[in-house]
Amino acid sequence: LGWSEALLPDVFPPKINDSEPSSSHQTLKGTSKWATSLENLLEDPEGVKRFREFLKKEFSEENVLFWLACEEFKKTQGKKQMQEKAKEIYMTFLSSKASSQVNVEGQSRLSETILDTPHPLMFQKLQDQIFNLMKYDSYSRFLKSDIFLNHKKSEEQEENPPEAQTAAKRASRIYNT
């Protein structure tokens, strides 16, 4: 399940895992799937890798790193581990001295005291802000970037190698004459 399905189980019915996709409904993958939504991009490790590469060039990689850290944090079990991870997220992304500070609204910044009583959704409001920032700002630029377009082109070449096309054309010429 993706993060949105996990948070909204009533909206997203459980997925049925067929071993083979049906011929009438080809499932999207790779860049085609990334282009449908930021959520789909963030569910694919290769998509995240390419998006990070793009954001690094835009000097905003901390946004996706913060979002990913929050996703991991939600899965953290145990108060001690949660306190450690919460402090790490705070010191890395939210503190005024943070090494990779994210740009979130000032009034929604957490004070360090909240780190003593962590809970899985304590960063949700800030994570949502960063998600929306990525969705409405950098994501659309990513889809037009050389990183995305070159990856899409190489995917298409893997699916339709030129030598396979020429062999098919040769075969059709042989049998259709």
PDB file of all heavy atoms in Angstrom, residues 67-99:
ATOM      1  N   TRP A  67      10.407  14.625   3.820  1.00  0.00           N
ATOM      2  CA  TRP A  67       9.183  13.861   3.591  1.00  0.00           C
ATOM      3  C   TRP A  67       9.429  12.370   3.833  1.00  0.00           C
ATOM      4  O   TRP A  67       8.646  11.692   4.505  1.00  0.00           O
ATOM      5  CB  TRP A  67       8.659  14.113   2.171  1.00  0.00           C
ATOM      6  CG  TRP A  67       7.315  13.523   1.951  1.00  0.00           C
ATOM      7  CD1 TRP A  67       6.120  14.110   2.188  1.00  0.00           C
ATOM      8  CD2 TRP A  67       7.015  12.196   1.484  1.00  0.00           C
ATOM      9  NE1 TRP A  67       5.092  13.232   1.896  1.00  0.00           N
ATOM     10  CE2 TRP A  67       5.616  12.053   1.465  1.00  0.00           C
ATOM     11  CE3 TRP A  67       7.794  11.119   1.078  1.00  0.00           C
ATOM     12  CZ2 TRP A  67       4.981  10.886   1.060  1.00  0.00           C
ATOM     13  CZ3 TRP A  67       7.172   9.949   0.677  1.00  0.00           C
ATOM     14  CH2 TRP A  67       5.775   9.840   0.666  1.00  0.00           C
ATOM     15  N   LEU A  68      10.538  11.864   3.303  1.00  0.00           N
ATOM     16  CA  LEU A  68      10.883  10.445   3.480  1.00  0.00           C
ATOM     17  C   LEU A  68      11.162  10.124   4.950  1.00  0.00           C
ATOM     18  O   LEU A  68      10.734   9.079   5.453  1.00  0.00           O
ATOM     19  CB  LEU A  68      12.103  10.083   2.623  1.00  0.00           C
ATOM     20  CG  LEU A  68      11.877  10.088   1.112  1.00  0.00           C
ATOM     21  CD1 LEU A  68      13.208  10.051   0.369  1.00  0.00           C
ATOM     22  CD2 LEU A  68      10.982   8.932   0.683  1.00  0.00           C
ATOM     23  N   ALA A  69      11.845  11.018   5.647  1.00  0.00           N
ATOM     24  CA  ALA A  69      12.139  10.809   7.074  1.00  0.00           C
ATOM     25  C   ALA A  69      10.837  10.740   7.872  1.00  0.00           C
ATOM     26  O   ALA A  69      10.707   9.903   8.773  1.00  0.00           O
ATOM     27  CB  ALA A  69      13.037  11.929   7.598  1.00  0.00           C
ATOM     28  N   CYS A  70       9.868  11.587   7.519  1.00  0.00           N
ATOM     29  CA  CYS A  70       8.567  11.562   8.207  1.00  0.00           C
ATOM     30  C   CYS A  70       7.831  10.254   7.938  1.00  0.00           C
ATOM     31  O   CYS A  70       7.192   9.699   8.838  1.00  0.00           O
ATOM     32  CB  CYS A  70       7.710  12.745   7.777  1.00  0.00           C
ATOM     33  SG  CYS A  70       8.332  14.333   8.369  1.00  0.00           S
ATOM     34  N   GLU A  71       7.915   9.765   6.703  1.00  0.00           N
ATOM     35  CA  GLU A  71       7.282   8.485   6.374  1.00  0.00           C
ATOM     36  C   GLU A  71       7.882   7.359   7.211  1.00  0.00           C
ATOM     37  O   GLU A  71       7.171   6.513   7.745  1.00  0.00           O
ATOM     38  CB  GLU A  71       7.443   8.164   4.884  1.00  0.00           C
ATOM     39  CG  GLU A  71       6.532   8.963   3.983  1.00  0.00           C
ATOM     40  CD  GLU A  71       5.050   8.754   4.299  1.00  0.00           C
ATOM     41  OE1 GLU A  71       4.537   7.653   4.046  1.00  0.00           O
ATOM     42  OE2 GLU A  71       4.418   9.703   4.803  1.00  0.00           O
ATOM     43  N   GLU A  72       9.212   7.345   7.324  1.00  0.00           N
ATOM     44  CA  GLU A  72       9.890   6.335   8.140  1.00  0.00           C
ATOM     45  C   GLU A  72       9.510   6.482   9.606  1.00  0.00           C
ATOM     46  O   GLU A  72       9.295   5.495  10.303  1.00  0.00           O
ATOM     47  CB  GLU A  72      11.416   6.456   7.991  1.00  0.00           C
ATOM     48  CG  GLU A  72      11.986   5.739   6.800  1.00  0.00           C
ATOM     49  CD  GLU A  72      11.615   4.254   6.770  1.00  0.00           C
ATOM     50  OE1 GLU A  72      11.907   3.529   7.754  1.00  0.00           O
ATOM     51  OE2 GLU A  72      11.017   3.824   5.775  1.00  0.00           O
ATOM     52  N   PHE A  73       9.445   7.729  10.066  1.00  0.00           N
ATOM     53  CA  PHE A  73       9.116   8.000  11.466  1.00  0.00           C
ATOM     54  C   PHE A  73       7.760   7.407  11.845  1.00  0.00           C
ATOM     55  O   PHE A  73       7.605   6.857  12.928  1.00  0.00           O
ATOM     56  CB  PHE A  73       9.130   9.518  11.725  1.00  0.00           C
ATOM     57  CG  PHE A  73       8.772   9.876  13.131  1.00  0.00           C
ATOM     58  CD1 PHE A  73       9.681   9.679  14.168  1.00  0.00           C
ATOM     59  CD2 PHE A  73       7.529  10.397  13.437  1.00  0.00           C
ATOM     60  CE1 PHE A  73       9.348   9.992  15.475  1.00  0.00           C
ATOM     61  CE2 PHE A  73       7.177  10.721  14.734  1.00  0.00           C
ATOM     62  CZ  PHE A  73       8.090  10.518  15.765  1.00  0.00           C
ATOM     63  N   LYS A  74       6.788   7.493  10.947  1.00  0.00           N
ATOM     64  CA  LYS A  74       5.443   6.970  11.224  1.00  0.00           C
ATOM     65  C   LYS A  74       5.470   5.467  11.494  1.00  0.00           C
ATOM     66  O   LYS A  74       4.579   4.948  12.157  1.00  0.00           O
ATOM     67  CB  LYS A  74       4.503   7.242  10.038  1.00  0.00           C
ATOM     68  CG  LYS A  74       4.174   8.696   9.852  1.00  0.00           C
ATOM     69  CD  LYS A  74       3.339   8.863   8.594  1.00  0.00           C
ATOM     70  CE  LYS A  74       3.230  10.282   8.163  1.00  0.00           C
ATOM     71  NZ  LYS A  74       2.555  10.431   6.876  1.00  0.00           N
ATOM     72  N   LYS A  75       6.469   4.781  10.970  1.00  0.00           N
ATOM     73  CA  LYS A  75       6.567   3.324  11.149  1.00  0.00           C
ATOM     74  C   LYS A  75       7.367   2.942  12.394  1.00  0.00           C
ATOM     75  O   LYS A  75       7.472   1.767  12.725  1.00  0.00           O
ATOM     76  CB  LYS A  75       7.252   2.695   9.926  1.00  0.00           C
ATOM     77  CG  LYS A  75       6.526   2.939   8.625  1.00  0.00           C
ATOM     78  CD  LYS A  75       7.365   2.433   7.475  1.00  0.00           C
ATOM     79  CE  LYS A  75       6.855   2.952   6.141  1.00  0.00           C
ATOM     80  NZ  LYS A  75       7.817   2.743   5.071  1.00  0.00           N
ATOM     81  N   THR A  76       7.941   3.925  13.072  1.00  0.00           N
ATOM     82  CA  THR A  76       8.815   3.670  14.215  1.00  0.00           C
ATOM     83  C   THR A  76       8.023   3.122  15.393  1.00  0.00           C
ATOM     84  O   THR A  76       6.954   3.644  15.729  1.00  0.00           O
ATOM     85  CB  THR A  76       9.550   4.969  14.628  1.00  0.00           C
ATOM     86  OG1 THR A  76      10.245   5.465  13.498  1.00  0.00           O
ATOM     87  CG2 THR A  76      10.541   4.711  15.746  1.00  0.00           C
ATOM     88  N   GLN A  77       8.551   2.076  16.005  1.00  0.00           N
ATOM     89  CA  GLN A  77       7.921   1.455  17.165  1.00  0.00           C
ATOM     90  C   GLN A  77       8.744   1.776  18.410  1.00  0.00           C
ATOM     91  O   GLN A  77       9.961   1.838  18.342  1.00  0.00           O
ATOM     92  CB  GLN A  77       7.874  -0.075  16.985  1.00  0.00           C
ATOM     93  CG  GLN A  77       7.116  -0.535  15.753  1.00  0.00           C
ATOM     94  CD  GLN A  77       5.624  -0.280  15.863  1.00  0.00           C
ATOM     95  OE1 GLN A  77       5.016  -0.576  16.876  1.00  0.00           O
ATOM     96  NE2 GLN A  77       5.037   0.269  14.821  1.00  0.00           N
ATOM     97  N   GLY A  78       8.090   1.946  19.531  1.00  0.00           N
ATOM     98  CA  GLY A  78       8.774   2.150  20.807  1.00  0.00           C
ATOM     99  C   GLY A  78       9.067   3.616  21.083  1.00  0.00           C
ATOM    100  O   GLY A  78       9.538   4.339  20.206  1.00  0.00           O
ATOM    101  N   LYS A  79       8.790   4.033  22.313  1.00  0.00           N
ATOM    102  CA  LYS A  79       8.940   5.437  22.691  1.00  0.00           C
ATOM    103  C   LYS A  79      10.388   5.909  22.558  1.00  0.00           C
ATOM    104  O   LYS A  79      10.633   7.002  22.049  1.00  0.00           O
ATOM    105  CB  LYS A  79       8.439   5.654  24.116  1.00  0.00           C
ATOM    106  CG  LYS A  79       8.412   7.115  24.507  1.00  0.00           C
ATOM    107  CD  LYS A  79       7.874   7.354  25.890  1.00  0.00           C
ATOM    108  CE  LYS A  79       7.934   8.857  26.177  1.00  0.00           C
ATOM    109  NZ  LYS A  79       7.591   9.175  27.540  1.00  0.00           N
ATOM    110  N   LYS A  80      11.330   5.090  22.990  1.00  0.00           N
ATOM    111  CA  LYS A  80      12.748   5.486  22.949  1.00  0.00           C
ATOM    112  C   LYS A  80      13.193   5.725  21.502  1.00  0.00           C
ATOM    113  O   LYS A  80      13.805   6.749  21.198  1.00  0.00           O
ATOM    114  CB  LYS A  80      13.606   4.394  23.611  1.00  0.00           C
ATOM    115  CG  LYS A  80      15.074   4.704  23.677  1.00  0.00           C
ATOM    116  CD  LYS A  80      15.437   5.316  25.008  1.00  0.00           C
ATOM    117  CE  LYS A  80      16.935   5.523  25.108  1.00  0.00           C
ATOM    118  NZ  LYS A  80      17.282   6.936  25.219  1.00  0.00           N
ATOM    119  N   GLN A  81      12.862   4.782  20.596  1.00  0.00           N
ATOM    120  CA  GLN A  81      13.234   4.931  19.186  1.00  0.00           C
ATOM    121  C   GLN A  81      12.531   6.150  18.574  1.00  0.00           C
ATOM    122  O   GLN A  81      13.129   6.875  17.781  1.00  0.00           O
ATOM    123  CB  GLN A  81      12.883   3.684  18.364  1.00  0.00           C
ATOM    124  CG  GLN A  81      13.775   2.496  18.640  1.00  0.00           C
ATOM    125  CD  GLN A  81      13.264   1.653  19.805  1.00  0.00           C
ATOM    126  OE1 GLN A  81      12.515   2.089  20.668  1.00  0.00           O
ATOM    127  NE2 GLN A  81      13.696   0.403  19.844  1.00  0.00           N
ATOM    128  N   MET A  82      11.271   6.356  18.953  1.00  0.00           N
ATOM    129  CA  MET A  82      10.533   7.517  18.438  1.00  0.00           C
ATOM    130  C   MET A  82      11.182   8.818  18.901  1.00  0.00           C
ATOM    131  O   MET A  82      11.318   9.761  18.112  1.00  0.00           O
ATOM    132  CB  MET A  82       9.077   7.491  18.877  1.00  0.00           C
ATOM    133  CG  MET A  82       8.235   6.493  18.110  1.00  0.00           C
ATOM    134  SD  MET A  82       6.508   6.658  18.566  1.00  0.00           S
ATOM    135  CE  MET A  82       5.972   7.682  17.218  1.00  0.00           C
ATOM    136  N   GLN A  83      11.590   8.859  20.164  1.00  0.00           N
ATOM    137  CA  GLN A  83      12.242  10.069  20.686  1.00  0.00           C
ATOM    138  C   GLN A  83      13.539  10.336  19.920  1.00  0.00           C
ATOM    139  O   GLN A  83      13.802  11.476  19.537  1.00  0.00           O
ATOM    140  CB  GLN A  83      12.551   9.921  22.182  1.00  0.00           C
ATOM    141  CG  GLN A  83      11.333  10.090  23.059  1.00  0.00           C
ATOM    142  CD  GLN A  83      11.636   9.830  24.521  1.00  0.00           C
ATOM    143  OE1 GLN A  83      12.392   8.931  24.867  1.00  0.00           O
ATOM    144  NE2 GLN A  83      11.015  10.618  25.384  1.00  0.00           N
ATOM    145  N   GLU A  84      14.316   9.286  19.686  1.00  0.00           N
ATOM    146  CA  GLU A  84      15.590   9.447  18.973  1.00  0.00           C
ATOM    147  C   GLU A  84      15.358   9.929  17.536  1.00  0.00           C
ATOM    148  O   GLU A  84      16.021  10.861  17.072  1.00  0.00           O
ATOM    149  CB  GLU A  84      16.371   8.126  18.955  1.00  0.00           C
ATOM    150  CG  GLU A  84      16.950   7.758  20.309  1.00  0.00           C
ATOM    151  CD  GLU A  84      17.500   6.331  20.364  1.00  0.00           C
ATOM    152  OE1 GLU A  84      17.595   5.670  19.308  1.00  0.00           O
ATOM    153  OE2 GLU A  84      17.844   5.888  21.475  1.00  0.00           O
ATOM    154  N   LYS A  85      14.411   9.285  16.851  1.00  0.00           N
ATOM    155  CA  LYS A  85      14.138   9.670  15.461  1.00  0.00           C
ATOM    156  C   LYS A  85      13.529  11.067  15.375  1.00  0.00           C
ATOM    157  O   LYS A  85      13.851  11.834  14.468  1.00  0.00           O
ATOM    158  CB  LYS A  85      13.209   8.655  14.785  1.00  0.00           C
ATOM    159  CG  LYS A  85      13.960   7.565  14.068  1.00  0.00           C
ATOM    160  CD  LYS A  85      13.094   6.882  13.025  1.00  0.00           C
ATOM    161  CE  LYS A  85      13.983   5.991  12.187  1.00  0.00           C
ATOM    162  NZ  LYS A  85      13.406   4.786  11.744  1.00  0.00           N
ATOM    163  N   ALA A  86      12.624  11.381  16.307  1.00  0.00           N
ATOM    164  CA  ALA A  86      12.002  12.708  16.318  1.00  0.00           C
ATOM    165  C   ALA A  86      13.070  13.785  16.505  1.00  0.00           C
ATOM    166  O   ALA A  86      13.067  14.807  15.809  1.00  0.00           O
ATOM    167  CB  ALA A  86      10.955  12.795  17.425  1.00  0.00           C
ATOM    168  N   LYS A  87      13.998  13.535  17.417  1.00  0.00           N
ATOM    169  CA  LYS A  87      15.074  14.504  17.661  1.00  0.00           C
ATOM    170  C   LYS A  87      15.960  14.639  16.422  1.00  0.00           C
ATOM    171  O   LYS A  87      16.353  15.744  16.042  1.00  0.00           O
ATOM    172  CB  LYS A  87      15.900  14.083  18.870  1.00  0.00           C
ATOM    173  CG  LYS A  87      16.950  15.101  19.235  1.00  0.00           C
ATOM    174  CD  LYS A  87      17.654  14.814  20.526  1.00  0.00           C
ATOM    175  CE  LYS A  87      18.640  15.946  20.762  1.00  0.00           C
ATOM    176  NZ  LYS A  87      19.079  16.041  22.124  1.00  0.00           N
ATOM    177  N   GLU A  88      16.246  13.510  15.784  1.00  0.00           N
ATOM    178  CA  GLU A  88      17.068  13.527  14.568  1.00  0.00           C
ATOM    179  C   GLU A  88      16.387  14.344  13.455  1.00  0.00           C
ATOM    180  O   GLU A  88      17.019  15.173  12.804  1.00  0.00           O
ATOM    181  CB  GLU A  88      17.297  12.083  14.098  1.00  0.00           C
ATOM    182  CG  GLU A  88      18.255  11.950  12.953  1.00  0.00           C
ATOM    183  CD  GLU A  88      18.407  10.492  12.508  1.00  0.00           C
ATOM    184  OE1 GLU A  88      18.350   9.583  13.358  1.00  0.00           O
ATOM    185  OE2 GLU A  88      18.568  10.281  11.296  1.00  0.00           O
ATOM    186  N   ILE A  89      15.089  14.134  13.273  1.00  0.00           N
ATOM    187  CA  ILE A  89      14.331  14.892  12.263  1.00  0.00           C
ATOM    188  C   ILE A  89      14.337  16.377  12.624  1.00  0.00           C
ATOM    189  O   ILE A  89      14.584  17.237  11.771  1.00  0.00           O
ATOM    190  CB  ILE A  89      12.889  14.352  12.127  1.00  0.00           C
ATOM    191  CG1 ILE A  89      12.921  12.983  11.434  1.00  0.00           C
ATOM    192  CG2 ILE A  89      12.005  15.328  11.360  1.00  0.00           C
ATOM    193  CD1 ILE A  89      11.584  12.251  11.415  1.00  0.00           C
ATOM    194  N   TYR A  90      14.098  16.664  13.899  1.00  0.00           N
ATOM    195  CA  TYR A  90      14.070  18.055  14.348  1.00  0.00           C
ATOM    196  C   TYR A  90      15.415  18.737  14.107  1.00  0.00           C
ATOM    197  O   TYR A  90      15.475  19.826  13.522  1.00  0.00           O
ATOM    198  CB  TYR A  90      13.689  18.122  15.836  1.00  0.00           C
ATOM    199  CG  TYR A  90      13.628  19.542  16.346  1.00  0.00           C
ATOM    200  CD1 TYR A  90      12.495  20.313  16.155  1.00  0.00           C
ATOM    201  CD2 TYR A  90      14.720  20.114  16.999  1.00  0.00           C
ATOM    202  CE1 TYR A  90      12.429  21.626  16.600  1.00  0.00           C
ATOM    203  CE2 TYR A  90      14.673  21.423  17.451  1.00  0.00           C
ATOM    204  CZ  TYR A  90      13.529  22.173  17.247  1.00  0.00           C
ATOM    205  OH  TYR A  90      13.475  23.472  17.665  1.00  0.00           O
ATOM    206  N   MET A  91      16.500  18.082  14.526  1.00  0.00           N
ATOM    207  CA  MET A  91      17.828  18.683  14.406  1.00  0.00           C
ATOM    208  C   MET A  91      18.278  18.799  12.945  1.00  0.00           C
ATOM    209  O   MET A  91      18.979  19.730  12.586  1.00  0.00           O
ATOM    210  CB  MET A  91      18.862  17.880  15.211  1.00  0.00           C
ATOM    211  CG  MET A  91      18.576  17.835  16.708  1.00  0.00           C
ATOM    212  SD  MET A  91      18.260  19.437  17.463  1.00  0.00           S
ATOM    213  CE  MET A  91      19.904  20.082  17.598  1.00  0.00           C
ATOM    214  N   THR A  92      17.865  17.865  12.105  1.00  0.00           N
ATOM    215  CA  THR A  92      18.285  17.868  10.700  1.00  0.00           C
ATOM    216  C   THR A  92      17.481  18.830   9.850  1.00  0.00           C
ATOM    217  O   THR A  92      18.038  19.478   8.960  1.00  0.00           O
ATOM    218  CB  THR A  92      18.173  16.443  10.104  1.00  0.00           C
ATOM    219  OG1 THR A  92      18.891  15.535  10.940  1.00  0.00           O
ATOM    220  CG2 THR A  92      18.737  16.388   8.694  1.00  0.00           C
ATOM    221  N   PHE A  93      16.171  18.936  10.112  1.00  0.00           N
ATOM    222  CA  PHE A  93      15.298  19.668   9.188  1.00  0.00           C
ATOM    223  C   PHE A  93      14.550  20.870   9.769  1.00  0.00           C
ATOM    224  O   PHE A  93      14.135  21.742   9.013  1.00  0.00           O
ATOM    225  CB  PHE A  93      14.249  18.716   8.602  1.00  0.00           C
ATOM    226  CG  PHE A  93      14.827  17.557   7.855  1.00  0.00           C
ATOM    227  CD1 PHE A  93      14.805  16.278   8.401  1.00  0.00           C
ATOM    228  CD2 PHE A  93      15.393  17.727   6.596  1.00  0.00           C
ATOM    229  CE1 PHE A  93      15.335  15.197   7.699  1.00  0.00           C
ATOM    230  CE2 PHE A  93      15.923  16.659   5.896  1.00  0.00           C
ATOM    231  CZ  PHE A  93      15.902  15.392   6.448  1.00  0.00           C
ATOM    232  N   LEU A  94      14.315  20.905  11.089  1.00  0.00           N
ATOM    233  CA  LEU A  94      13.398  21.904  11.636  1.00  0.00           C
ATOM    234  C   LEU A  94      14.030  22.934  12.563  1.00  0.00           C
ATOM    235  O   LEU A  94      13.520  24.052  12.670  1.00  0.00           O
ATOM    236  CB  LEU A  94      12.249  21.195  12.371  1.00  0.00           C
ATOM    237  CG  LEU A  94      11.430  20.244  11.498  1.00  0.00           C
ATOM    238  CD1 LEU A  94      10.496  19.401  12.355  1.00  0.00           C
ATOM    239  CD2 LEU A  94      10.662  21.010  10.442  1.00  0.00           C
ATOM    240  N   SER A  95      15.084  22.581  13.225  1.00  0.00           N
ATOM    241  CA  SER A  95      15.747  23.493  14.148  1.00  0.00           C
ATOM    242  C   SER A  95      16.300  24.697  13.384  1.00  0.00           C
ATOM    243  O   SER A  95      16.634  24.602  12.200  1.00  0.00           O
ATOM    244  CB  SER A  95      16.874  22.741  14.860  1.00  0.00           C
ATOM    245  OG  SER A  95      17.885  23.614  15.282  1.00  0.00           O
ATOM    246  N   SER A  96      16.429  25.820  14.065  1.00  0.00           N
ATOM    247  CA  SER A  96      17.008  27.007  13.415  1.00  0.00           C
ATOM    248  C   SER A  96      18.472  26.759  13.033  1.00  0.00           C
ATOM    249  O   SER A  96      19.015  27.446  12.174  1.00  0.00           O
ATOM    250  CB  SER A  96      16.889  28.222  14.334  1.00  0.00           C
ATOM    251  OG  SER A  96      17.538  27.956  15.554  1.00  0.00           O
ATOM    252  N   LYS A  97      19.102  25.766  13.662  1.00  0.00           N
ATOM    253  CA  LYS A  97      20.495  25.424  13.335  1.00  0.00           C
ATOM    254  C   LYS A  97      20.576  24.178  12.449  1.00  0.00           C
ATOM    255  O   LYS A  97      21.641  23.595  12.285  1.00  0.00           O
ATOM    256  CB  LYS A  97      21.282  25.169  14.626  1.00  0.00           C
ATOM    257  CG  LYS A  97      21.290  26.328  15.599  1.00  0.00           C
ATOM    258  CD  LYS A  97      21.985  25.937  16.893  1.00  0.00           C
ATOM    259  CE  LYS A  97      21.644  26.870  18.021  1.00  0.00           C
ATOM    260  NZ  LYS A  97      20.571  26.374  18.883  1.00  0.00           N
ATOM    261  N   ALA A  98      19.448  23.749  11.890  1.00  0.00           N
ATOM    262  CA  ALA A  98      19.396  22.509  11.099  1.00  0.00           C
ATOM    263  C   ALA A  98      20.321  22.582   9.889  1.00  0.00           C
ATOM    264  O   ALA A  98      20.424  23.615   9.228  1.00  0.00           O
ATOM    265  CB  ALA A  98      17.972  22.247  10.632  1.00  0.00           C
ATOM    266  N   SER A  99      20.974  21.458   9.624  1.00  0.00           N
ATOM    267  CA  SER A  99      21.898  21.386   8.481  1.00  0.00           C
ATOM    268  C   SER A  99      21.156  21.370   7.146  1.00  0.00           C
ATOM    269  O   SER A  99      21.667  21.849   6.143  1.00  0.00           O
ATOM    270  CB  SER A  99      22.774  20.140   8.607  1.00  0.00           C
ATOM    271  OG  SER A  99      21.962  18.989   8.731  1.00  0.00           O
TER     272      SER A  99
END
